[in-house]
Amino acid sequence: MTAAVHLNVFADEAPMLSPSAPTSSDDDKQHELGQFLTPNPIAELMASLFEIHRNEVHLLDAGAGAGALSAALIGRLCRDARKPKRISVTAYEIDGAQIEPLRARLDGCRRECARASISFSATVLNEDFIAAAVPMVRDDLFASEAPRFNTAIINPPYRKIRSDSPTRLLLRSAGIETSNLYAGFVALVTRLLDKGAELVAITPRSFCNGPYFKPFREDFLEAMSLRRLHVFESRSAAFSGDAVLQENIIFHAVKGAPKPRQVIIASSSGEHGGTATERAVDFSEVVSPADAGQFIHLPADGQHQPARRAMQQLVTSLSVLGLSVSTGRVVDFRAKEFLREQPGRDTAPLIYPCHFNGGFVHWPKKKTRKPNAIVSNEQTRELLVPAGMYVLVKRFTAKEERRRIVACIYDSHQIHAPLVGFENHLNYFHVNGHGLPMALAKGLAAFLNSTVVDVYFRQFNGHTQVNATDLRSLNYPAKAKLEDLGRKITGRGLPQVELDSLVEDELF
Ligand SMILES: C[S@@+](CC[C@H](N)C(=O)[O-])C[C@H]1O[C@@H](n2cnc3c(N)ncnc32)[C@H](O)[C@@H]1O
């Protein structure tokens, strides 16, 4: 079932998440606090997603900033035909500079509630939410009794937390294992909710895949029943703290309810006048029961479903193909003294993404800001691999680049050198550290460059990074099929449509 709805929630030109108001002093503080305030149209969209009528609303807003989310929800409840009788809100905010605007916003809510004959109370806590909530969920003897909430709306701070940081250890003491603050917030909020409570959150999309977020996903999917996922097609740099351009996602989930049969997947452009489309998708299409990694897929439009079905036909793992994928071993700033602009007698080729050209490596480049070569000696031997045919995949693609997975072949029939270095911005497929047979390499590169793989990959990977673990988690065609495909690839730089139809004919 596909229904197109038009939600003109992006009525102004505001970016999806905007840096906090000038009350917050400087960029460093903003980064440290993961402070990106939600513009009103997004806050209203989030507020509109709550479904259950309650006479008493006990609302939690953790990392409340200036209160945009609570205000949007309370405003909506005041306008509802069936209003609640009472609303209590508890807002945690660590930044003292946000407390005054937060109180002022909640005072506005108080007046709005009075006009709607709703009894209202607000508790503003200028505290670290993690430090406050962990003892409550740990059931510590001397912790204050955990308040219970039946509603939560959050835009938690996004920041990496190092494995030895106090925050990480605190979360671990409550059985929460995560490397990012936002996931810690969601996990704690989930624990503070009553059975049947609703949560709407906006977060980076990174928790949907990858090994680091697996414990979080397991925990979250066990405790919560996912009802709706809303993705934004255009990306915002708001969450680009670690230089990985993140997509944001809004999700709506209900605590403790049985797993849903279907999940609504909605998407909108995130730009002025953005249009949203939505479709109901079987839960098993979103989280496959067969997937030990519990990836959350976002099959958002008509192109996604066929791509997912096609990829599900494939059952061969990389290890069955006898292949491995690794990240390029040459980290250039660590090997500075060995790098050379152009090749010489004592050097090996050094391959960067800038050497990709029409599906093959073009090397050396005459005019380049990157070195073309690395000295080949005892000290660099460990960084180099023997000559052969390797399939390379870029680890980072530019936001504007059409494709997320960009593969290319390094062919030592074209580049005559006994050893080669692959730089760290590349992943390379290999057979026990050696090259691949030619047909297999060509078939694999064509498969990876096909639209079907790209569309499928985007469903679970929301950023511009392609890691070796992502490539390991894919299923591949059988070896013979890849080899047949490879034998059909003769010319260079096949146009995408031709490559796609070749891949479709041979593999699907
Ligand atoms: C992404 S902003 C969102 C703010 C607000 N909810 C909104 O949507 O506009 C996250 C907020 O969490 C606050 N914050 C960061 N770490 C916190 C912590 N440990 N405890 C409480 N608040 C925190 C930041 O100061 C920031 O205001």
XYZ file of all heavy atoms in Angstrom, residues 70 293 301 488:
27
model
N 8.777 20.184 23.631
C 7.678 20.159 24.608
C 6.600 21.152 24.192
O 5.406 20.853 24.227
C 8.181 20.525 25.999
O 8.934 19.463 26.518
N 22.336 -9.114 12.931
C 22.767 -7.744 13.223
C 21.620 -6.805 13.511
O 21.849 -5.670 13.905
N 10.911 4.184 -0.887
C 10.109 4.465 -2.075
C 10.060 3.253 -2.986
O 10.602 2.205 -2.700
C 10.619 5.708 -2.801
C 11.986 5.471 -3.403
O 12.340 4.298 -3.608
O 12.691 6.450 -3.665
N 31.747 -10.641 -19.273
C 31.008 -9.765 -20.208
C 31.529 -8.321 -20.161
O 31.183 -7.509 -20.992
C 29.518 -9.748 -19.830
C 28.836 -11.085 -19.893
C 27.795 -11.068 -21.004
C 27.406 -12.451 -21.466
N 26.721 -13.251 -20.497
